[in-house]
C-alpha cells in the first residue's frame, strides 16, 4: 500500500463545525506536507511540518505530527463552505532523494 | 507573477499519437516535477528535475520523456500515447529541493482514445 494513507476518504460536515483528517505513513520522513485541491484545479500548499516538530498552526489550520505512531492530523476549525475540497498529505522520505509521495486524499464537503 | 503555467489545458489524442505538455515557472525555482493524477488516487511522480540540466525518473516514468529546456521550462512528452495515459497531468516547481514546498500548475486534462 502507499506510503501515505488518509482517513477518512470522505467527510461531510456543517459549516462552523471542525473537520479532522488523518494521515498515516510507513517509513521515516524528513517532513510531511498538507495540500488542498479544489475541484478541477491544481494543488495548493497549506502547511509543512518537519520531523522534529509536533504541532504547527496556520490560521484556522492545525497540524500535528506523531513520529512514534507515524501519523499526522489536519484540523480545520470553524469550517466554511469555501473549505470544500480534497486534502492530501504528502511525505518526504529521509531514505531517498526526498521525493514527495502523496496519499489518496480526503474529500471534505462543508454544507452551508 | 503567473506562478506555474501549463499548456494546453485540455487535449484529446488517438492511440499512437505523440504530444508535448509544456510547463513554465517564473519563481526562479530550481526543481521542477511532473505528476499524474488518476481518479481516486493521489498524485504520482512521473519525472523530476532537481536543477537545470538534470532529470530523473519518478514512480511511473514508462511511456514518458522529459526535457528541462532551461531553468524556467520543463516539458513532458508522450511519444506514442496509450489509453492508460488518460489522466490529469500536473507540473510543479520547488525552490531548492524536494524537502520544500511545491507549487502546482492548473493541470492538463488528457484523454487518449
Amino acid at each position: 500500500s502507499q506510503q501515505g494513507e488518509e482517513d477518512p476518504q470522505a467527510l461531510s460536515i456543517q459549516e462552523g463545525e471542525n473537520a479532522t483528517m488523518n494521515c498515516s505513513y510507513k517509513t521515516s520522513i524528513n517532513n510531511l506536507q498538507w495540500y488542498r485541491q479544489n475541484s478541477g484545479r491544481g494543488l495548493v500548499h497549506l502547511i509543512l511540518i518537519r520531523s522534529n516538530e509536533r504541532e504547527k498552526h496556520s490560521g484556522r489550520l492545525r497540524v500535528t505530527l506523531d513520529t512514534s505512531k507515524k501519523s499526522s492530523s489536519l484540523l480545520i476549525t470553524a469550517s466554511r463552505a469555501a473549505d470544500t475540497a480534497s486534502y492530501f498529505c504528502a511525505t518526504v522520505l529521509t531514505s531517498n532523494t526526498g521525493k514527495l509521495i502523496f496519499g489518496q486524499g480526503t474529500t471534505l464537503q462543508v454544507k452551508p | 507573477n503567473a506562478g506555474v503555467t501549463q499548456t494546453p489545458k485540455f487535449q484529446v489524442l488517438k492511440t499512437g499519437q505523440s504530444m508535448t505538455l509544456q510547463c513554465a515557472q517564473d519563481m526562479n525555482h530550481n526543481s521542477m516535477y511532473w505528476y499524474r493524477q488518476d481518479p481516486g488516487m493521489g498524485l504520482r511522480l512521473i519525472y523530476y528535475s532537481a536543477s537545470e540540466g538534470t532529470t530523473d525518473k519518478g514512480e511511473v516514468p514508462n511511456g514518458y520523456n522529459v526535457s528541462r529546456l532551461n531553468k524556467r521550462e520543463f516539458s513532458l512528452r508522450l511519444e506514442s500515447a496509450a489509453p492508460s495515459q488518460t489522466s490529469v497531468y500536473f507540473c510543479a516547481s520547488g525552490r531548492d529541493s524536494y524537502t520544500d514546498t511545491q507549487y502546482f500548475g492548473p493541470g492538463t486534462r488528457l484523454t487518449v482514445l
Side-chain angles (χ1 to χ4, degrees):
Chain A
S1 57
Q2 296 195 36
Q3 158 74 348
E5 294 189 0
E6 282 144 286
D7 170 60
Q9 290 190 349
L11 182 60
S12 181
I13 59 174
Q14 294 294 135
E15 211 166 24
E17 294 180 339
N18 295 342
T20 300
M21 289 159 262
N22 303 295
C23 172
S24 60
Y25 58 91
K26 297 182 187 302
T27 56
S28 296
I29 60 171
N30 177 291
N31 68 64
L32 186 145
Q33 303 178 28
W34 285 91
Y35 288 80
R36 184 187 73 225
Q37 183 180 35
N38 291 90
S39 181
R41 311 288 282 274
L43 278 73
V44 174
H45 179 260
L46 295 176
I47 200 163
L48 181 155
I49 187 165
R50 302 193 186 280
S51 59
N52 61 352
E53 297 175 312
R54 292 297 167 258
E55 187 171 312
K56 283 190 85 168
H57 296 256
S58 176
R60 292 183 296 113
L61 306 180
R62 173 178 169 247
V63 168
T64 61
L65 178 65
D66 187 334
T67 53
S68 67
K69 295 181 179 177
K70 292 187 168 58
S71 67
S72 174
S73 67
L74 170 67
L75 168 67
I76 304 174
T77 60
S79 63
R80 304 167 182 168
D83 294 328
T84 294
S86 292
Y87 293 81
F88 294 89
C89 71
T91 52
V92 176
L93 306 183
T94 55
S95 61
N96 65 14
T97 51
K99 289 176 278 191
L100 206 57
I101 302 175
F102 284 85
Q104 295 183 352
T106 294
T107 300
L108 172 66
Q109 181 184 28
V110 181
K111 299 176 185 175
Chain B
N1 284 351
V4 179
T5 57
Q6 293 183 236
T7 55
K9 285 187 167 54
F10 301 93
Q11 183 72 48
V12 179
L13 293 177
K14 294 181 180 178
T15 297
Q17 287 185 317
S18 62
M19 79 160 295
T20 299
L21 280 65
Q22 306 286 353
C23 174
Q25 52 91 8
D26 62 1
M27 295 175 282
N28 201 35
H29 286 167
N30 289 308
S31 304
M32 297 187 74
Y33 314 85
W34 277 105
Y35 294 90
R36 60 177 288 173
Q37 184 178 33
D38 299 298
M41 300 183 72
L43 276 70
R44 291 183 292 169
L45 182 64
I46 305 171
Y47 270 93
Y48 62 99
S49 171
S51 60
E52 186 179 354
T54 68
T55 61
D56 285 289
K57 295 178 180 179
E59 185 183 357
V60 288
N62 291 346
Y64 305 95
N65 284 302
V66 290
S67 295
R68 183 75 183 265
L69 305 170
N70 48 55
K71 190 171 186 179
R72 289 187 65 247
E73 298 171 288
F74 189 39
S75 63
L76 178 72
R77 182 161 178 83
L78 286 70
E79 291 291 352
S80 179
S84 62
Q85 293 178 305
T86 293
S87 189
V88 181
Y89 291 84
F90 289 98
C91 177
S93 69
R95 185 181 56 189
D96 290 316
S97 72
Y98 319 117
T99 57
D100 283 336
T101 299
Q102 293 187 15
Y103 297 83
F104 284 79
T108 294
R109 188 173 295 274
L110 175 67
T111 301
V112 183
L113 303 175

